[in-house]
Amino acid sequence: MSPFHHMRRRRLKPTIALLIAFIIFILNNLQTIQAKTTSTKMAAAATTTTNPQSCTNPAKFDFLNDLRSKYPHQPVFLQAVEEMALSIEPLFNDPVNGKFYKKAFLYLTEPERTISFHVPWMDDQGAQHVNRGWRVEFSSALGPYKGGLRFHPTVDDGILKFLGFEQIFKNSLTGLPLGGGKGGSDFDPKGKSEGEIRRFCESFMTELCRYIDASTDVPAGDIGVGGREIGYMYGTYKRLSNKHGEGVLTGKSPLFGGIHLRPEATGFGTVYMAQHAIEDKLKRSLEGTRCAVSGSGNVAQYASKMLIQLGAKVVCMSDSNGVLVFEEGMTTSDWEQIIVAKTVERARLSSLETRVSGKYIPNHSPWTLPDLNINFAFPCATQNEIDGKAANMLIEKGVMGVFEGANLPVTTEGQEALRAHRDVLYIPGKAANAGGVGVSGLEMSQNASRTYWKREKVDAMLKEMMAGIYQQMKDNAGEDGTLEEGCNRAGFLKVAQALKE
């Protein structure tokens, strides 16, 4: 017998013991693993079939069934698609062009390109982190892809597809040669230091820069991405490309190629749109009316400012933790305190109660306060903030109009409630908040022509643009249609015609 035989037997015994222990562990935990897997599948199925924002009537548009089967995990995207389809349904039934419109619509529901990448960055303690980044380039039928970048923990490819899909038709309404796109990351800027945000933005742009160009794809800001973040990313782009003056990002400071009024444009434009609708349909002005504004970011800030300038009473602003209520209307001093808190101190609204005339109510939104009397609603926070219950509460209060400063802030059920009361003005974000991307388009023109426009000229062009969008809505709504239907039809028809030609 070999002298190594006993050595091999001694080595084998612990190996067999480990193998037996591993098998016992697997058998003991198999039931738990199976239970967890079953539970996860059931939860996923429940989310797919019962999510209140998913398409509510699959039988309504059977030509969308393939899309539904491919993306059941993207309910907000499917919600945006069906909301659009409902408005343009008469086009699908057109005896001459109906088949073409269906094909064009289906074509536009798939992005031309989706780019995903990881974004490594280091915190202040030297620890390494990795987030996900995306750019969804949806449609270039009218021009280069155009749309913002969103940094928020809820961001995923489904959210960006919903935003990019909406962007196609919003950009169409501006009259500028802009396609639709959207991008961002699941990075959460809240609680991060200046240095951490800078390092993340630099890493994000290091990857994104290879896909953007003034004639290909021009990102801008969105939730979590303001002038500071755009500045960090533009600085990184300059270092990597050795180019200055390129219109590859909009929302820049006017000191290095930006345009006046860009921070204000979305909020101001939303109010300009509301002003047109109220004066035309209700034969009155905004002066003296009680207006509820949700959110406290860029759009909410400047919508509130313009409402105050026009003599309206802004009765609230909000954040994700609660509502700051101004029963007698927000003052200019109140507004200035909010701006300092949000743009300088990066503070929550709850910290302002001793500095403003309003009262802070935690764990509520403007749409869940039954005793808050308002005439007009300006949802400017995020998607799906007004559900069916909130919409019905607004209607019972006698609200005369809802103007979307955010993208798709009203759920499917909320939209159904508003459509059932056609006397309530309802203008979707594609039209109401198009002023932001409109002025971004003007910034691109300013960069291309190496010129610089004064604030007054930009404001005049913004007002003219919003008036033009309102007229498109009226013209396409016809005598029996709503402004919502007119908005969606006008946006779609222009893109469909471009595809045809």
Side-chain angles (χ1 to χ4, degrees):
M1 183 179 292
S2 168
F4 299 105
H5 180 71
H6 294 291
M7 291 177 64
R8 286 198 299 270
R9 289 180 65 185
R10 283 195 294 270
R11 289 174 183 167
L12 190 59
K13 286 180 180 179
T15 303
I16 293 173
L18 285 172
L19 180 60
I20 292 170
F22 179 71
I23 292 170
I24 292 170
F25 172 81
I26 291 295
L27 291 173
N28 287 340
N29 288 275
L30 184 59
Q31 187 175 0
T32 303
I33 293 167
Q34 287 174 333
K36 286 183 177 179
T37 303
T38 303
S39 175
T40 301
K41 287 180 178 178
M42 288 175 66
T47 301
T48 298
T49 56
T50 65
N51 191 303
Q53 313 322 331
S54 62
C55 291
T56 56
N57 186 5
K60 181 69 174 176
F61 301 108
D62 57 2
F63 70 96
L64 294 177
N65 285 342
D66 181 57
L67 193 76
R68 294 182 180 112
S69 67
K70 286 191 292 187
Y71 305 114
H73 57 292
Q74 297 176 350
V76 184
F77 167 61
L78 294 178
Q79 177 193 351
V81 170
E82 180 155 300
E83 183 265 338
M84 188 72 183
L86 284 169
S87 290
I88 63 175
E89 185 177 8
L91 299 178
F92 298 151
N93 298 327
D94 183 273
V96 178
N97 296 310
K99 288 185 178 179
F100 165 72
Y101 289 140
K102 280 185 181 180
K103 288 181 180 179
F105 186 76
L106 278 174
Y107 177 84
L108 292 169
T109 61
E110 289 288 354
E112 293 176 3
R113 187 181 299 110
T114 299
I115 301 158
S116 63
F117 48 91
H118 75 174
V119 188
W121 61 279
M122 189 175 291
D123 66 23
D124 291 339
Q125 286 70 47
Q128 190 75 24
H129 300 267
V130 178
N131 284 91
R132 297 176 297 166
W134 293 270
R135 187 66 180 169
V136 179
E137 297 176 336
F138 230 110
S139 171
S140 58
L142 298 180
Y145 309 108
K146 185 80 189 80
L149 298 170
R150 176 175 292 192
F151 292 169
H152 194 273
T154 61
V155 166
D156 58 25
D157 52 349
I159 291 294
L160 294 177
K161 280 176 65 179
F162 130 63
L163 292 167
F165 181 74
E166 294 264 299
Q167 197 78 45
I168 300 170
F169 310 108
K170 180 188 303 186
N171 293 359
S172 167
L173 289 169
T174 67
L176 299 173
L178 302 173
K182 206 75 178 183
S185 172
D186 56 5
F187 173 77
D188 188 359
K190 286 183 182 177
K192 304 295 191 299
S193 71
E194 191 97 8
E196 289 170 335
I197 291 172
R198 175 179 55 78
R199 287 191 290 275
F200 176 83
C201 289
E202 290 171 346
S203 181
F204 185 87
M205 179 51 73
T206 299
E207 179 64 28
L208 183 67
C209 70
R210 67 186 72 190
Y211 308 111
I212 61 175
D213 182 81
S215 59
T216 305
D217 187 353
V218 185
D222 196 273
I223 293 173
V225 180
R228 174 183 62 173
E229 291 76 18
I230 291 292
Y232 291 151
M233 287 188 279
Y234 188 65
T236 303
Y237 176 83
K238 279 199 308 173
R239 289 195 298 274
L240 294 170
S241 66
N242 195 30
K243 294 179 181 179
H244 201 322
E246 296 286 308
V248 297
L249 283 173
T250 58
K252 304 183 295 294
S253 165
L255 294 174
F256 49 87
I259 193 169
H260 281 299
L261 214 72
R262 178 59 190 93
E264 299 93 332
T266 308
F268 279 15
T270 300
V271 176
Y272 292 157
M273 178 62 70
Q275 192 177 25
H276 284 298
I278 292 166
E279 291 177 356
D280 181 45
K281 298 292 186 180
L282 304 181
K283 310 303 180 186
R284 62 178 297 171
S285 73
L286 276 163
E287 187 174 0
T289 61
R290 294 174 63 83
C291 299
V293 178
S294 66
S296 51
N298 178 271
V299 181
Q301 291 166 13
Y302 290 105
S304 297
K305 182 177 183 178
M306 181 52 63
L307 286 167
I308 293 170
Q309 289 181 9
L310 294 174
K313 290 184 177 181
V314 177
V315 296
C316 66
M317 287 179 72
S318 65
D319 59 21
S320 57
N321 299 118
V323 190
L324 201 52
V325 176
F326 301 89
E327 191 57 44
E328 300 303 319
M330 183 192 300
T331 66
T332 301
S333 176
D334 292 332
W335 183 85
E336 290 170 350
Q337 288 292 329
I338 291 171
I339 294 299
V340 170
K342 287 297 177 181
T343 61
V344 180
E345 300 169 354
R346 309 286 173 179
R348 309 299 289 167
L349 292 181
S350 56
S351 67
L352 288 175
E353 193 167 16
T354 60
R355 293 157 52 183
V356 297
S357 63
K359 176 184 178 183
Y360 185 77
I361 303 176
N363 304 317
H364 274 280
S365 84
W367 325 123
T368 62
L369 296 174
D371 298 326
L372 183 63
N373 294 318
I374 60 175
N375 302 122
F376 298 106
F378 290 82
C380 299
T382 190
Q383 67 268 11
N384 290 325
E385 56 178 289
I386 299 179
D387 59 15
K389 181 180 178 181
N392 282 311
M393 185 189 296
L394 290 174
I395 292 163
E396 290 169 7
K397 288 180 180 181
V399 163
M400 295 179 283
V402 178
F403 308 99
E404 296 185 343
N407 294 306
L408 204 66
V410 182
T411 69
T412 299
E413 292 78 8
Q415 290 173 344
E416 289 172 354
L418 293 173
R419 291 181 190 123
H421 293 78
R422 296 167 72 93
D423 56 324
V424 178
L425 298 177
Y426 173 45
I427 300 184
K430 298 182 197 71
N433 67 44
V437 72
V439 171
S440 279
L442 297 178
E443 183 176 332
M444 292 167 64
S445 298
Q446 184 180 265
N447 292 160
S449 61
R450 297 290 195 271
T451 189
Y452 188 73
W453 296 329
K454 292 183 178 180
R455 182 184 181 88
E456 294 76 17
K457 179 176 181 177
V458 178
D459 193 30
M461 288 191 285
L462 173 60
K463 288 178 177 176
E464 183 180 358
M465 185 181 297
M466 300 314 290
I469 294 173
Y470 182 74
Q471 191 60 49
Q472 289 180 67
M473 286 195 295
K474 280 190 65 176
D475 292 345
N476 283 273
E479 294 183 3
D480 301 324
T482 65
L483 291 175
E484 179 200 10
E485 292 165 344
C487 162
N488 289 330
R489 290 171 192 171
F492 171 75
L493 283 170
K494 185 175 179 182
V495 183
Q497 186 61 33
L499 291 173
K500 190 174 184 178
E501 293 182 3

